[in-house]
Amino acid sequence: MTIQKEVTVQTNFAAGQIDIWALRNDALKIRASGLRSALNARSTAAGAIETRPGREMLFAGELRVDDIRVPSGAVFRLAFSDGKLTIRNADGLLVQTFSSMPWAGATASDVREIEWARIGYQIVIVYRGNRPKLVTFNNDGSSWSCEDFAFDTRRNGALQQPYYRHAARGVTMTPSAYSGAGITVTFSSSGVLTAAHVGARLRYLDSELVVTAVAPGGGSATANITELLARTYNVTVASGAGYAIGDTVEGLTSSVRGQVAAVSGNVVTVVAEDWTGFTVGEKLAGPNASSAISAVATAASPAATTEWDEEMMGAVHGWPASVSVDGGRLIFCRFRDVPNAIAWSALQQPKDFYVGAESTDAILETMPGEARVIHVLGGMDQFVLTDTSCYYIPVSADNPIRPGSIEFRLIDVIGSSLVQPQSTAEGVVFVDANSTRVYGLIATGVTARPYMLADLSEHHTLIIKTPVALSVTSGRDQHPERYIYVVNADGTMAVGRYIRGEDFVGWFPWSGSGRAVWVSARVAGATVVASYDIAGATRYACETVSSDSYLDGEMPAFEAAPALDAQRPVGFGPLWFYAGAAVVVRRGALDLGERDVDATGNLVVLPQDEFSGDEVAGRRFTMDVEPFIHRSGEGQSVKQRMRRHKLARVQWTIRGNQNVELDGQIFPAHRDSDDHTVEAPTSIRSLRRRMIGRDFDPRTSLRQPLAGRVAILEFTAEITV
């Protein structure tokens, strides 16, 4: 009996490693270009995959590193560690260090919560509700300074800050005088203030007071008046009927507006900002009354009013934990005591948050319901990610962000985690509130529903494992492809490639001896901070993802790079980072094997070694690829899916200059006649192997165990039907 055989060919691997649940679902579109495993591979624009890039070590000791480009075009690195912000140049050389930062005692997981945004020549940094820091630099980055963030000032030193009513709405405030220092402020309820309010600012209508002392019980305080307080008028009208406490009233001739504080017979007590007062003979108009004024008298002291508030953010109620910039405005959110609020600065005035009605004034808005705002990002519109949902705020040339223009439109009911999202040309990429998936807000081109939420990791859930950091490349670095980098909590990475025209992102798992703790790709290529276990200690390294590197933590073996040399301890050699451990040495794409590093950071050279001095050292990682074996399609039934199958032969077509291992069999890159002391020439090879045995799930895999780079162009399998 002739056994029918089928030959299947796969040349597109762009979908990456997809979940094992797709094993027998041949109809699943993504499976046609997917792989069962694709460890340490990357996808190319043509659909082939190759060994992922290695990482070149720049410097050590930092827990997080982000890049910034100053106006002159120079790139600098913002490095965050325990209580410090260090500015380094593009090569990693030290420029300046700022100590006493609010993240003192922070670990690698803590510094991930630092957020920063650049506006003009300034960087605003926030961290867990501490007072923000303001970093200022000049055109070429030759000068840097750092200070506490402080609001601009206005009349008599009052702050350009936002105010909010934290106390219950019915509580009144009564100041003892219109001006001066050491006045008494009395509230209609106890417990309104605490000792922490000393130094905080209150506002009586629109006038500011600074608290200098709080009485026991918190029902009164001593304060200094920064601005003349609103004046209280006892206005006698023809009839007091219809006026009520809390009403807003206006003199129809004088246009003086105020709030009714009390009504006694025909005398209406009004608190008004305008010190010119009402005019005898005009009418006092309110929501339910309008009566002629016969007399006006200024009260000896301010009346009680419910129209008071206090500073929205500060030592009492906490500072923002999230910051961004869009449309020329600095944006604060994730406030501890007002979690559903968003504050936008005045246009091009990042230290002015005093809310007004003019188009360039600052804005304060609260989200509907009890949503907790997590992030606000700019893009084609402005996006708001809360813990339960995602929204957009329409923005256009005719309708920029301005007071009165804010409208929150729901996109979907998927919330966001604290992992910092990323804006892309297509929308926004973020990690969901459960930290299990990566989502994208993508433009639809449909006016009625301009954005949709897409699950970018729907078929890759096993390699998205509690993400803790996220970044996106622009495609302007070494690789034309655009990648999404995700750092998982276990130190592995998932790297996805956006494929234009497809409804999925192809994801690949990356791992190695260095555990990733942070990734950033703000300016150009990706920068990774990784931790290594070296001689019983944990050491952190900042590394750039580089096509020229075939190892992780790669550094010159015999002459330290400038930044690493500057950090080298006295008496140590160029491999001081790996002192007391082992490394892999390579020369070009030639893997020279593992060598020890002595306790003083020098490579232990073996007698047979003939090093040129150009070698580099680091830690090896392995590419391991296993395809799905595509099964026979529909046709005459011969119980195809109920029988064991024999994988008769496989053929892998690869391009590279390194040894590979096919199901345990080594295929060397060098021919017998080649000089094995130099790297093998790059070539395209087709590797064939006959397989034995039958199985319901026949398997085959290709590994690249040594340092180098191999591209997989095609996989062909001959399998019994």
Side-chain angles (χ1 to χ4, degrees):
M1 176 180 176
T2 302
I3 299 177
Q4 298 182 50
K5 295 181 180 179
E6 182 179 24
V7 175
T8 62
V9 179
Q10 183 174 353
T11 57
N12 185 357
F13 309 93
Q17 178 174 315
I18 62 177
D19 291 337
I20 191 61
W21 294 279
L23 176 64
R24 297 182 71 86
N25 188 357
D26 295 335
L28 186 66
K29 176 183 175 182
I30 194 174
R31 188 178 181 276
S33 57
L35 293 159
R36 187 166 183 160
S37 69
L39 179 64
N40 289 322
R42 80 167 187 96
S43 174
T44 68
I49 59 173
E50 68 175 7
T51 314
R52 71 164 172 90
R55 303 196 297 255
E56 178 186 0
M57 191 184 302
L58 284 179
F59 51 87
E62 309 289 1
L63 302 178
R64 168 181 169 176
V65 179
D66 295 321
D67 295 344
I68 183 173
R69 192 188 304 276
V70 299
S72 67
V75 173
F76 289 84
R77 304 185 188 276
L78 309 181
F80 302 89
S81 59
D82 179 7
K84 294 181 180 180
L85 166 64
T86 302
I87 311 298
R88 296 179 177 274
N89 67 14
D91 295 325
L93 290 170
L94 178 65
V95 175
Q96 191 148 358
T97 298
F98 300 108
S99 301
S100 302
M101 303 302 278
W103 47 88
T107 63
S109 61
D110 295 327
V111 297
R112 296 186 192 117
E113 294 187 42
I114 297 171
E115 294 194 18
W116 62 270
R118 172 190 172 179
I119 181 165
Y121 290 80
Q122 295 178 314
I123 301 168
V124 179
I125 306 174
V126 301
Y127 175 68
R128 287 183 175 174
N130 291 276
R131 189 185 190 104
K133 290 290 185 178
L134 182 67
V135 176
T136 303
F137 54 89
N138 64 355
N139 183 70
D140 63 358
S142 60
S143 174
W144 297 77
S145 63
C146 181
E147 60 187 340
D148 285 340
F149 177 87
F151 295 107
D152 288 336
T153 57
R154 51 194 173 96
R155 306 187 302 264
N156 302 316
L159 298 183
Q160 295 285 83
Q161 65 176 337
Y163 292 85
Y164 188 82
R165 183 58 180 266
H166 293 282
R169 293 301 306 176
V171 176
T172 63
M173 171 200 281
T174 309
S176 63
Y178 291 111
S179 63
I183 72 160
T184 299
V185 179
T186 304
F187 300 93
S188 60
S189 177
S190 62
V192 175
L193 303 183
T194 68
H197 277 85
V198 174
R201 305 197 177 215
L202 311 178
R203 192 170 60 163
Y204 179 82
L205 271 72
D206 287 332
S207 302
E208 189 181 88
L209 309 86
V210 181
V211 176
T212 58
V214 177
S220 64
T222 303
N224 296 335
I225 295 176
T226 307
E227 304 169 290
L228 289 175
L229 299 188
R231 183 161 286 194
T232 300
Y233 300 98
N234 293 320
V235 182
T236 303
V237 294
S239 172
Y243 296 101
I245 294 173
D247 282 354
T248 297
V249 294
E250 181 178 0
L252 294 184
T253 302
S254 64
S255 297
V256 173
R257 294 171 61 89
Q259 184 197 48
V260 176
V263 180
S264 178
N266 290 347
V267 178
V268 181
T269 301
V270 181
V271 181
E273 285 287 340
D274 194 327
W275 274 50
T276 61
F278 298 96
T279 303
V280 173
E282 70 174 331
K283 286 190 174 183
L284 185 69
N288 302 299
S290 180
S291 186
I293 298 174
S294 59
V296 179
T298 302
S301 61
T305 181
T306 58
E307 291 301 305
W308 68 274
D309 46 24
E310 56 184 298
E311 58 189 29
M312 179 186 178
M313 62 183 96
V316 178
H317 297 288
W319 292 89
S322 182
V323 63
S324 56
V325 168
D326 185 52
R329 297 178 186 267
L330 185 68
I331 306 169
F332 285 145
C333 68
R334 208 186 312 153
F335 297 98
R336 186 191 68 201
D337 290 353
V338 197
N340 63 336
I342 305 171
W344 291 262
S345 76
L347 189 64
Q348 301 300 341
Q349 300 294 325
K351 296 194 288 184
D352 179 359
F353 279 82
Y354 193 73
V355 176
E358 298 297 323
S359 62
T360 59
D361 283 345
I363 310 165
L364 177 62
E365 294 283 349
T366 53
M367 295 286 297
E370 299 181 356
R372 177 170 170 253
V373 180
I374 306 298
H375 306 285
V376 178
L377 295 91
M380 290 177 286
D381 290 299
Q382 207 162 88
F383 300 94
V384 179
L385 306 181
T386 76
D387 58 342
T388 59
S389 305
C390 44
Y391 300 79
Y392 76 97
I393 301 171
V395 178
S396 67
D398 296 329
N399 183 41
I401 293 291
R402 62 174 184 258
S405 75
I406 306 299
E407 179 186 359
F408 300 105
R409 296 185 181 179
L410 180 67
I411 300 175
D412 212 316
V413 288
I414 296 293
S416 172
S417 70
L418 294 182
V419 175
Q420 295 172 38
Q422 300 291 315
S423 293
T424 72
E426 288 74 29
V428 170
V429 180
F430 70 96
V431 176
D432 75 308
N434 294 321
S435 295
T436 57
R437 303 226 174 180
V438 178
Y439 283 92
L441 297 178
I442 300 173
T444 64
V446 179
T447 303
R449 189 190 180 196
Y451 298 99
M452 63 173 288
L453 188 68
D455 185 347
L456 304 183
S457 56
E458 180 179 8
H459 299 290
H460 305 81
T461 58
L462 297 181
I463 61 176
I464 306 293
K465 300 177 287 187
T466 315
V468 294
L470 169 71
S471 199
V472 179
T473 63
S474 63
R476 296 191 300 266
D477 56 349
Q478 293 175 320
H479 306 293
E481 301 86 5
R482 286 180 293 169
Y483 294 99
I484 304 172
Y485 289 88
V486 169
V487 172
N488 293 315
D490 63 359
T492 62
M493 296 180 68
V495 179
R497 186 173 78 84
Y498 172 77
I499 307 167
R500 188 176 296 276
E502 293 287 357
D503 57 359
F504 61 82
V505 170
W507 292 91
F508 295 79
W510 289 10
S511 65
S513 66
R515 296 180 300 277
V517 299
W518 179 255
V519 64
S520 179
R522 288 184 180 236
V523 172
T527 299
V528 175
V529 175
S531 69
Y532 292 85
D533 293 329
I534 306 294
T538 300
R539 297 179 185 172
Y540 293 90
C542 172
E543 306 170 350
T544 57
V545 177
S546 172
S547 293
D548 298 326
S549 297
Y550 301 142
L551 303 168
D552 285 343
E554 193 171 272
M555 57 196 304
F558 297 104
E559 183 177 355
L564 289 168
D565 191 54
Q567 293 182 305
R568 178 169 53 175
V570 175
F572 277 71
L575 295 179
W576 61 269
F577 183 89
Y578 292 112
V583 294
V584 170
V585 179
R586 74 168 179 88
R587 181 169 58 244
L590 182 65
D591 189 320
L592 300 175
E594 190 172 282
R595 301 290 189 278
D596 289 329
V597 179
D598 67 23
T600 59
N602 291 292
L603 190 70
V604 177
V605 179
L606 302 179
Q608 66 271 24
D609 288 334
E610 295 181 0
F611 292 134
S612 66
D614 296 328
E615 289 78 12
V616 295
R619 293 293 177 87
R620 188 188 287 141
F621 56 87
T622 299
M623 180 176 73
D624 195 335
V625 176
E626 180 179 353
F628 287 107
I629 303 301
H630 297 276
R631 303 175 187 279
S632 176
E634 294 183 4
Q636 182 180 354
S637 174
V638 289
K639 300 181 180 180
Q640 297 99 317
R641 302 184 73 88
M642 299 177 64
R643 299 180 185 277
R644 287 183 174 88
H645 295 270
K646 176 179 176 59
L647 187 59
R649 286 180 294 182
V650 297
Q651 175 178 291
W652 297 79
T653 301
I654 66 172
R655 180 184 185 276
N657 58 356
Q658 189 52 270
N659 298 355
V660 294
E661 180 182 317
L662 175 54
D663 297 313
Q665 179 180 346
I666 298 294
F667 287 78
H670 286 92
R671 296 187 294 268
D672 291 341
S673 59
D674 289 340
D675 181 355
H676 288 226
T677 64
V678 298
E679 64 184 62
T682 298
S683 62
I684 295 177
R685 296 179 287 161
S686 291
L687 313 178
R688 299 182 182 89
R689 178 171 169 80
R690 289 186 176 274
M691 312 296 288
I692 59 174
R694 294 176 177 270
D695 202 292
F696 287 112
D697 180 25
R699 302 175 66 173
T700 181
S701 66
L702 183 143
R703 299 175 71 247
Q704 182 211 324
L706 302 179
R709 186 153 297 125
V710 169
I712 299 175
L713 309 179
E714 179 182 284
F715 170 71
T716 304
E718 182 183 289
I719 187 170
T720 59
V721 176

